[in-house]
């Protein structure tokens, strides 16, 4: 568990996947648990109070990784792809879809990934056997935006962002949470962006776009994000 916790940072919705401390800048506030050896090694090297919302969210992210033997054995911090996959796996805990988005109370939450092979590979592994509120998580790899009807979360690789505006009305009508990774993703109508800023995966949210899609987002998630548009 130490190797998992070591590289996760918490700062304005950012997850740091770079190498752990030695030394840590004062703005770096890693998520560490009691008994973790890095609590003792790094205790004097970081400052700042963790909010309750941030702790709940990051604990969920860590648990969401599933503690696979491959990750437990890894000495390095989680990769960028692992961090993004963990976000996707945990978003259903903090997003509310309209009842019409599911045909039954136990219908799966379908997560589609387009043009992001490394994230898709990590998510496929992490999501096996996962459930959220009695709904199984189902992974779907797609090759075009047109194939995402019936999914609940869509992750769009940076190379496909330019195609988003053409399908935006339909995607909103289908109540799909649109997640991306490019600098202009929110400006073209995306909902959540997992942006890379100074070696950190940062959470950015377009609240107006989320509401236009008929979705609701927990205040716990918004507390960690840079929010654009609307009021929390």
């Amino acid at each position: 568990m130490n190797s998992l916790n070591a590289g996760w940072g918490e700062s304005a919705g950012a997850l740091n996947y770079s190498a752990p401390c030695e030394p840590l800048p004062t703005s770096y506030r890693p998520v560490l648990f009691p008994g973790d050896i890095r609590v003792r090694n790094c205790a004097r090297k970081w400052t700042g109070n963790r909010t309750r919302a941030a702790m709940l969210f990051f604990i969920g992210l860590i648990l969401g990784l599933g503690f696979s033997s491959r990750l437990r054995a890894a000495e390095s911090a989680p990769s960028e792809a692992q961090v993004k996959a963990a976000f996707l796996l945990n978003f259903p805990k903090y997003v509310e879809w309209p009842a019409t988005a599911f045909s039954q109370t136990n219908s799966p939450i379908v997560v589609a990934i387009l043009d992001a092979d490394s994230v898709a590979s990590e998510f496929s592994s992490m999501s096996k056997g996962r459930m959220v509120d009695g709904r199984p998580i189902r992974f779907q790899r797609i090759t075009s935006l047109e194939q995402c009807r019936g999914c609940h979360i869509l992750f769009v690789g940076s190379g496909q962002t330019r195609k988003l505006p053409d399908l935006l009305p339909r995607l909103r009508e289908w109540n799909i949470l649109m997640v991306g990774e490019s600098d202009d993703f929110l400006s073209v109508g995306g909902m959540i962006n997992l942006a890379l800023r100074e070696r950190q995966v940062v959470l950015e949210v377009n609240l107006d776009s989320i509401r236009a899609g008929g979705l609701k987002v927990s205040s716990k998630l918004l507390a960690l994000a840079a929010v654009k548009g609307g009021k929390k």
Side-chain angles (χ1 to χ4, degrees):
M1 193 168 166
N2 293 345
S3 61
L4 278 174
N5 296 342
W8 296 83
E10 172 227 327
S11 178
L15 288 181
N16 191 315
Y17 64 92
S18 57
C21 64
E22 305 300 346
L24 290 177
T26 56
S27 62
Y28 185 95
R29 294 176 288 169
V31 174
L32 299 168
F33 293 87
D36 192 312
I37 189 171
R38 297 184 188 280
V39 172
R40 298 190 296 272
N41 291 346
C42 307
R44 292 187 297 273
K45 298 183 179 180
W46 62 280
T47 60
N49 294 323
R50 289 167 289 188
T51 66
R52 182 174 182 272
M55 281 300 297
L56 289 172
F57 188 75
F58 284 109
I59 289 173
L61 284 176
I62 296 298
L63 294 177
L65 286 173
F67 300 111
S68 67
S69 57
R70 177 172 61 86
L71 285 174
R72 283 201 304 267
E75 291 298 330
S76 60
S79 67
E80 178 185 350
Q82 289 170 345
V83 170
K84 290 179 178 179
F87 263 121
L88 293 175
L89 185 60
N90 282 272
F91 280 151
K93 300 175 183 177
Y94 302 92
V95 176
E96 181 181 341
W97 284 265
T100 53
F102 301 95
S103 59
Q104 300 179 32
T105 56
N106 61 348
S107 295
I109 299 171
V110 181
V111 180
I113 297 180
L114 172 64
D115 197 26
D117 290 343
S118 58
V119 176
S121 178
E122 295 294 343
F123 185 84
S124 178
S125 176
M126 291 180 189
S127 61
K128 290 179 180 177
R130 289 287 162 184
M131 304 275 290
V132 175
D133 293 333
R135 300 185 185 276
I137 302 293
R138 179 180 297 171
F139 166 62
Q140 181 177 340
R141 192 189 298 264
I142 61 176
T143 58
S144 70
L145 285 171
E146 290 81 358
Q147 296 175 335
C148 70
R149 183 167 189 173
C151 74
H152 302 92
I153 298 177
L154 168 65
F155 182 78
V156 182
S158 57
Q160 298 290 327
T161 298
R162 67 185 185 281
K163 299 180 181 179
L164 189 63
D166 293 335
L167 288 176
L168 192 58
R170 274 188 284 172
L171 295 173
R172 286 176 173 170
E173 181 183 347
W174 297 337
N175 306 124
I176 297 174
L177 180 70
M178 295 174 283
V179 184
E181 60 178 354
S182 58
D183 289 342
D184 58 344
F185 187 73
L186 297 188
S187 65
V188 298
M191 297 179 178
I192 296 179
N193 194 36
L194 302 179
L196 191 61
R197 305 278 187 258
E198 299 180 354
R199 301 183 69 191
Q200 290 185 331
V201 176
V202 177
L203 188 65
E204 300 175 340
V205 172
N206 183 331
L207 200 53
D208 288 338
S209 185
I210 288 175
R211 290 169 176 166
L215 307 177
K216 297 179 181 179
V217 176
S218 167
S219 59
K220 293 176 183 178
L221 188 147
L222 294 178
L224 301 175
V227 179
K228 301 181 180 180
K231 296 181 179 179
K232 296 184 183 182

